[in-house]
Amino acid sequence: MFEVTGLSKSFGGLKALENLDISVKSGEVMGLIGPNGSGKTTTINLITGLLKADSGKVQLDGKDLTNKAADIIAKLGTARTFQNLRIFSRQTVQDNIRVAQTTQCKSVFSKFVPFLTDEERAFRLETDALLNEFELSNVSHKRAESLSYGEKKRLEMARALALKPKILLLDEPAAGMNPLELDWLAETIVGLKKSGLAIILVEHHMKLVMKICDRITVLNFGNKIAEGSPKEITNNKDVITAYLGKDHTIA
């Protein structure tokens, strides 16, 4: 179980997030939506250690992640993607994934003499599986900077999963995707959910959110204004006023 309680953050006199409570179970997708500037990415940055919370707690399976260093949070089971892609552009696709795997090394020898260890052989098999799953096998030895936008999006997800997380935070993964890529994204997230992964999805693409999320939390001006099933959120008057608009249609 992943839990956030009373999470707050201010920048000077601006309250970016105030007393946020959310929880996500294994095998559940929770959507986090709201207008631009409502606190969604701030929430992810606080959870993953890129920002320090003023108050509140972040816990994963009873372990306190609050205000720990980003690498420690990752090792404890939290992975993310970014709204603006952050891949290692001059490294190969394969090496992007391998970088994430080094956080899982149990043997010091794997980092310096990898060819000697069973752990390294296991990592290579896992890399191949991720490359295949995310349709990147044919570009595995190319520099990441040479990939198409959709391929870069897939690489960032594959790299996040190389951390073997218990919870995955996706920050606007659908941005810039074409209809075929959106279908692939929906299928992939549903597959990850079925594998038991807990997922928080920050997204403006409402058809995708309503299609794959079990629950949705809505933020506005740093405050949670609603939480519920996709149907409940679609019909919530506060959400319609603050975000969806009265003429919204979600097929």
Side-chain angles (χ1 to χ4, degrees):
M1 171 71 80
F2 175 79
E3 294 180 287
V4 168
T5 53
L7 198 62
S8 299
K9 179 66 178 178
S10 293
F11 298 100
L14 174 65
K15 289 186 177 180
L17 198 68
E18 188 169 11
N19 293 322
L20 177 65
D21 295 339
I22 55 174
S23 63
V24 192
K25 299 181 294 185
S26 297
E28 182 180 33
V29 181
M30 190 199 78
L32 188 62
I33 67 172
N36 289 332
S38 61
K40 305 182 299 298
T41 296
T42 296
T43 299
I44 291 186
N45 288 341
L46 290 169
I47 289 170
T48 56
L50 294 189
L51 291 174
K52 298 296 184 184
D54 297 333
S55 60
K57 278 191 175 183
V58 180
Q59 293 180 302
L60 178 59
D61 292 342
K63 295 180 180 179
D64 188 6
L65 308 183
T66 316
N67 290 343
K68 290 190 175 354
D71 61 321
I72 300 300
I73 292 172
K75 288 178 182 178
L76 290 172
T78 302
R80 68 168 295 175
T81 64
F82 291 84
Q83 183 177 347
N84 298 313
L85 286 167
R86 294 192 186 182
I87 57 175
F88 303 118
S89 297
R90 298 186 65 81
Q91 300 298 317
T92 67
V93 170
Q94 179 176 275
D95 285 345
N96 266 264
I97 295 174
R98 298 306 306 276
V99 167
Q101 287 178 327
T102 61
T103 66
Q104 304 300 312
C105 287
K106 295 179 181 178
S107 169
V108 67
F109 294 107
S110 290
K111 297 182 180 181
F112 301 105
V113 282
F115 55 89
L116 293 178
T117 67
D118 290 336
E119 185 177 45
E120 169 63 19
R121 283 188 281 272
F123 283 151
R124 290 183 182 184
L125 290 174
E126 290 168 7
T127 298
D128 290 342
L130 285 168
L131 290 169
N132 183 62
E133 180 181 355
F134 285 85
E135 301 175 7
L136 294 168
S137 296
N138 62 327
V139 294
S140 64
H141 295 291
K142 290 186 176 181
R143 283 187 176 182
E145 64 187 358
S146 70
L147 302 183
S148 69
Y149 183 76
E151 287 171 334
K152 290 175 181 177
K153 283 273 191 176
R154 298 202 300 272
L155 173 57
E156 192 172 44
M157 285 188 67
R159 186 181 61 187
L161 291 171
L163 292 169
K164 295 185 178 178
K166 296 178 181 179
I167 181 164
L168 177 64
L169 300 100
L170 301 172
D171 196 354
E172 298 194 28
M177 285 190 166
N178 63 41
L180 287 177
E181 290 169 335
L182 285 171
D183 288 341
W184 172 88
L185 178 63
E187 291 175 7
T188 299
I189 294 175
V190 170
L192 293 173
K193 167 189 168 180
K194 289 179 178 178
S195 74
L197 192 62
I199 299 170
I200 294 178
L201 173 66
V202 173
E203 188 53 69
H204 286 292
H205 195 293
M206 285 299 99
K207 288 184 179 180
L208 177 67
V209 170
M210 298 299 171
K211 179 179 180 180
I212 66 175
C213 290
D214 301 292
R215 288 185 300 117
I216 299 170
T217 296
V218 187
L219 301 181
N220 193 31
F221 295 113
N223 293 283
K224 181 166 73 172
I225 62 170
E227 184 174 24
S229 68
K231 184 177 180 180
E232 290 169 334
I233 293 301
T234 302
N235 295 318
N236 185 290
K237 292 181 180 179
D238 291 336
V239 177
I240 292 170
T241 299
Y243 185 50
L244 294 178
K246 61 183 179 181
D247 298 323
H248 72 284
T249 55
I250 299 174

